[in-house]
CSV table of all heavy atoms in Angstrom, one decimal:
chain,number,residue,atom,x,y,z
A,85,ALA,N,-2.6,7.1,-16.3
A,85,ALA,CA,-1.7,6.8,-15.2
A,85,ALA,C,-2.1,5.4,-14.5
A,85,ALA,O,-1.3,4.9,-13.8
A,85,ALA,CB,-1.6,7.9,-14.2
A,86,LEU,N,-3.3,5.0,-14.7
A,86,LEU,CA,-3.7,3.8,-14.0
A,86,LEU,C,-2.8,2.6,-14.1
A,86,LEU,O,-2.5,2.0,-13.1
A,86,LEU,CB,-5.1,3.4,-14.5
A,86,LEU,CG,-6.3,4.1,-13.9
A,86,LEU,CD1,-7.6,3.7,-14.6
A,86,LEU,CD2,-6.4,4.0,-12.4
A,87,PRO,N,-2.2,2.3,-15.2
A,87,PRO,CA,-1.3,1.1,-15.3
A,87,PRO,C,-0.1,1.3,-14.4
A,87,PRO,O,0.4,0.3,-13.9
A,87,PRO,CB,-0.9,1.0,-16.7
A,87,PRO,CG,-2.0,1.7,-17.5
A,87,PRO,CD,-2.5,2.8,-16.6
A,88,TRP,N,0.3,2.5,-14.2
A,88,TRP,CA,1.5,2.7,-13.4
A,88,TRP,C,1.3,2.5,-11.9
A,88,TRP,O,2.2,2.2,-11.2
A,88,TRP,CB,2.0,4.2,-13.6
A,88,TRP,CG,3.4,4.4,-13.1
A,88,TRP,CD1,4.6,3.9,-13.7
A,88,TRP,CD2,3.8,5.2,-12.1
A,88,TRP,NE1,5.7,4.3,-13.0
A,88,TRP,CE2,5.2,5.1,-12.0
A,88,TRP,CE3,3.2,6.0,-11.1
A,88,TRP,CZ2,6.0,5.8,-11.0
A,88,TRP,CZ3,3.9,6.7,-10.2
A,88,TRP,CH2,5.3,6.6,-10.1
A,89,PHE,N,0.1,2.6,-11.4
A,89,PHE,CA,-0.2,2.4,-10.0
A,89,PHE,C,-0.1,0.9,-9.7
A,89,PHE,O,0.3,0.6,-8.6
A,89,PHE,CB,-1.7,2.8,-9.7
A,89,PHE,CG,-1.8,4.3,-9.5
A,89,PHE,CD1,-2.6,5.0,-10.4
A,89,PHE,CD2,-1.2,5.0,-8.5
A,89,PHE,CE1,-2.7,6.4,-10.3
A,89,PHE,CE2,-1.3,6.3,-8.4
A,89,PHE,CZ,-2.1,7.0,-9.3
A,90,ARG,N,-0.4,0.0,-10.6
A,90,ARG,CA,-0.3,-1.4,-10.3
A,90,ARG,C,-1.1,-1.8,-9.0
A,90,ARG,O,-0.6,-2.6,-8.2
A,90,ARG,CB,1.1,-1.9,-10.2
A,90,ARG,CG,1.8,-1.9,-11.6
A,90,ARG,CD,3.2,-2.4,-11.5
A,90,ARG,NE,4.1,-1.2,-11.8
A,90,ARG,CZ,5.2,-1.0,-11.1
A,90,ARG,NH1,5.7,-1.8,-10.2
A,90,ARG,NH2,6.0,0.0,-11.4
A,91,ALA,N,-2.2,-1.2,-8.9
A,91,ALA,CA,-3.1,-1.5,-7.7
A,91,ALA,C,-3.9,-2.8,-7.9
A,91,ALA,O,-4.2,-3.1,-9.1
A,91,ALA,CB,-4.0,-0.3,-7.4
A,92,SER,N,-4.2,-3.5,-6.9
A,92,SER,CA,-4.9,-4.7,-7.0
A,92,SER,C,-6.2,-4.8,-6.4
A,92,SER,O,-6.9,-5.7,-6.5
A,92,SER,CB,-4.0,-5.9,-6.5
A,92,SER,OG,-3.8,-5.6,-5.1
A,93,ALA,N,-6.6,-3.7,-5.7
A,93,ALA,CA,-7.9,-3.7,-5.0
A,93,ALA,C,-8.5,-2.3,-5.1
A,93,ALA,O,-7.8,-1.3,-5.2
A,93,ALA,CB,-7.7,-4.1,-3.5
A,94,ALA,N,-9.8,-2.2,-4.9
A,94,ALA,CA,-10.5,-0.9,-5.0
A,94,ALA,C,-10.0,0.0,-3.8
A,94,ALA,O,-10.0,1.2,-4.0
A,94,ALA,CB,-12.0,-1.2,-4.9
A,95,ALA,N,-9.7,-0.6,-2.7
A,95,ALA,CA,-9.2,0.2,-1.6
A,95,ALA,C,-7.9,0.9,-1.9
A,95,ALA,O,-7.7,2.0,-1.4
A,95,ALA,CB,-9.0,-0.7,-0.4
A,96,HIS,N,-7.1,0.4,-2.8
A,96,HIS,CA,-5.9,1.0,-3.2
A,96,HIS,C,-6.2,2.3,-4.0
A,96,HIS,O,-5.6,3.4,-3.8
A,96,HIS,CB,-5.0,0.1,-4.1
A,96,HIS,CG,-4.5,-1.1,-3.3
A,96,HIS,ND1,-4.2,-2.2,-3.9
A,96,HIS,CD2,-4.3,-1.2,-2.0
A,96,HIS,CE1,-3.7,-3.1,-3.0
A,96,HIS,NE2,-3.8,-2.5,-1.8
A,97,TYR,N,-7.2,2.2,-4.9
A,97,TYR,CA,-7.6,3.3,-5.7
A,97,TYR,C,-8.3,4.4,-4.8
A,97,TYR,O,-8.1,5.6,-5.1
A,97,TYR,CB,-8.5,2.9,-6.9
A,97,TYR,CG,-7.8,2.1,-7.9
A,97,TYR,CD1,-8.0,0.7,-8.1
A,97,TYR,CD2,-6.8,2.7,-8.7
A,97,TYR,CE1,-7.3,0.0,-9.0
A,97,TYR,CE2,-6.1,1.9,-9.6
A,97,TYR,CZ,-6.3,0.6,-9.8
A,97,TYR,OH,-5.6,-0.1,-10.7
A,98,ALA,N,-9.0,4.0,-3.8
A,98,ALA,CA,-9.6,4.9,-2.9
A,98,ALA,C,-8.5,5.7,-2.1
A,98,ALA,O,-8.6,6.9,-1.9
A,98,ALA,CB,-10.5,4.2,-1.9
A,99,ALA,N,-7.5,5.0,-1.8
A,99,ALA,CA,-6.3,5.6,-1.1
A,99,ALA,C,-5.7,6.6,-2.0
A,99,ALA,O,-5.3,7.7,-1.6
A,99,ALA,CB,-5.3,4.6,-0.6
A,100,VAL,N,-5.6,6.3,-3.3
A,100,VAL,CA,-5.0,7.3,-4.3
A,100,VAL,C,-5.9,8.5,-4.3
A,100,VAL,O,-5.4,9.7,-4.2
A,100,VAL,CB,-4.9,6.7,-5.7
A,100,VAL,CG1,-4.5,7.7,-6.7
A,100,VAL,CG2,-3.8,5.6,-5.7
A,101,GLY,N,-7.2,8.3,-4.4
A,101,GLY,CA,-8.1,9.5,-4.5
A,101,GLY,C,-8.1,10.3,-3.2
A,101,GLY,O,-8.0,11.5,-3.3
A,102,LYS,N,-8.0,9.7,-2.0
A,102,LYS,CA,-7.9,10.4,-0.8
A,102,LYS,C,-6.6,11.2,-0.7
A,102,LYS,O,-6.6,12.3,-0.2
A,102,LYS,CB,-8.0,9.5,0.4
A,102,LYS,CG,-9.4,8.9,0.6
A,102,LYS,CD,-9.5,7.9,1.7
A,102,LYS,CE,-10.8,7.2,1.7
A,102,LYS,NZ,-10.9,6.1,2.7
A,103,THR,N,-5.5,10.6,-1.2
A,103,THR,CA,-4.2,11.2,-1.1
A,103,THR,C,-4.2,12.5,-2.0
A,103,THR,O,-3.8,13.5,-1.7
A,103,THR,CB,-3.1,10.3,-1.6
A,103,THR,OG1,-3.1,9.1,-0.7
A,103,THR,CG2,-1.7,10.9,-1.6
A,104,TRP,N,-4.8,12.3,-3.3
A,104,TRP,CA,-4.8,13.4,-4.2
A,104,TRP,C,-5.8,14.5,-3.6
A,104,TRP,O,-5.5,15.7,-3.8
A,104,TRP,CB,-5.3,13.0,-5.5
A,104,TRP,CG,-4.3,12.3,-6.4
A,104,TRP,CD1,-3.0,12.0,-6.0
A,104,TRP,CD2,-4.4,11.9,-7.7
A,104,TRP,NE1,-2.3,11.4,-7.1
A,104,TRP,CE2,-3.2,11.4,-8.1
A,104,TRP,CE3,-5.5,11.9,-8.7
A,104,TRP,CZ2,-3.0,10.9,-9.4
A,104,TRP,CZ3,-5.2,11.4,-9.9
A,104,TRP,CH2,-4.0,10.9,-10.3
A,105,LEU,N,-6.8,14.2,-3.0
A,105,LEU,CA,-7.8,15.2,-2.5
A,105,LEU,C,-7.0,16.0,-1.4
A,105,LEU,O,-7.1,17.2,-1.4
A,105,LEU,CB,-9.0,14.5,-1.9
A,105,LEU,CG,-10.0,15.4,-1.2
A,105,LEU,CD1,-10.6,16.5,-2.1
A,105,LEU,CD2,-11.1,14.6,-0.5
A,106,LEU,N,-6.4,15.3,-0.5
A,106,LEU,CA,-5.7,15.9,0.6
A,106,LEU,C,-4.6,16.9,0.1
A,106,LEU,O,-4.5,18.0,0.5
A,106,LEU,CB,-5.1,14.9,1.6
A,106,LEU,CG,-4.3,15.5,2.8
A,106,LEU,CD1,-5.2,16.3,3.7
A,106,LEU,CD2,-3.6,14.3,3.5
A,107,MET,N,-3.8,16.4,-0.8
A,107,MET,CA,-2.7,17.2,-1.4
A,107,MET,C,-3.2,18.4,-2.1
A,107,MET,O,-2.7,19.5,-2.0
A,107,MET,CB,-1.8,16.3,-2.3
A,107,MET,CG,-1.0,15.3,-1.5
A,107,MET,SD,0.0,14.2,-2.6
A,107,MET,CE,1.3,15.4,-3.1
A,108,THR,N,-4.3,18.2,-2.8
A,108,THR,CA,-4.9,19.3,-3.6
A,108,THR,C,-5.5,20.4,-2.7
A,108,THR,O,-5.2,21.6,-2.9
A,108,THR,CB,-6.0,18.8,-4.5
A,108,THR,OG1,-5.5,17.8,-5.4
A,108,THR,CG2,-6.7,19.9,-5.3
A,109,VAL,N,-6.2,20.0,-1.7
A,109,VAL,CA,-6.8,21.0,-0.8
A,109,VAL,C,-5.7,21.7,0.0
A,109,VAL,O,-5.8,23.0,0.1
A,109,VAL,CB,-7.9,20.3,0.2
A,109,VAL,CG1,-8.3,21.3,1.3
A,109,VAL,CG2,-9.0,19.8,-0.6
Side-chain angles (χ1 to χ4, degrees):
L86 280 176
W88 196 67
F89 283 115
R90 291 183 247 140
S92 60
H96 295 154
Y97 292 111
V100 170
K102 289 174 187 175
T103 301
W104 280 6
L105 175 64
L106 177 64
M107 291 177 74
T108 300
V109 171

